[in-house]
Amino acid sequence: AKAAALADAGLTDAVFTKAKLDYDDNRDVYDIEFYSGTIEYEYEISVYGGSIIKKMLSLRTQKMSPMVRISD
């Protein structure tokens, strides 16, 4: 499922944050989440046949570091 998601996204490498077997809408699916650069990808892939059921892309936001007061 990871390879299918990467291929669909046109990537050869990414950082996976989730890859698990799930049961959704009365079917077994792989729930895959990963990011590459500033894009985050979410896929739901059928366990049987490997077809992509759902995919979503979004901009990845970085956590802001705490503000540091700088005096003049």
Side-chain angles (χ1 to χ4, degrees), residues 9 11 17 32-43 55-62:
L11 300 171
T17 56
I32 309 289
E33 295 181 13
F34 58 93
Y35 66 89
S36 179
T38 59
I39 307 292
E40 191 171 336
Y41 302 82
E42 294 180 37
Y43 279 83
K55 69 178 173 179
M56 215 168 70
L57 283 74
S58 58
L59 285 176
R60 185 169 177 258
T61 57
Q62 295 179 340

Side-chain angles (χ1 to χ4, degrees), residues 13-65:
D13 193 30
V15 177
F16 286 87
T17 56
K18 184 190 227 181
K20 70 173 193 161
L21 182 60
D22 201 3
Y23 188 75
D24 192 27
D25 295 330
N26 296 319
R27 60 184 161 208
D28 292 321
V29 296
Y30 292 111
D31 193 8
I32 309 289
E33 295 181 13
F34 58 93
Y35 66 89
S36 179
T38 59
I39 307 292
E40 191 171 336
Y41 302 82
E42 294 180 37
Y43 279 83
E44 205 170 88
I45 298 175
S46 172
V47 169
Y48 310 104
S51 62
I52 295 169
I53 297 165
K54 260 189 232 180
K55 69 178 173 179
M56 215 168 70
L57 283 74
S58 58
L59 285 176
R60 185 169 177 258
T61 57
Q62 295 179 340
K63 291 182 180 178
M64 300 293 287
S65 56

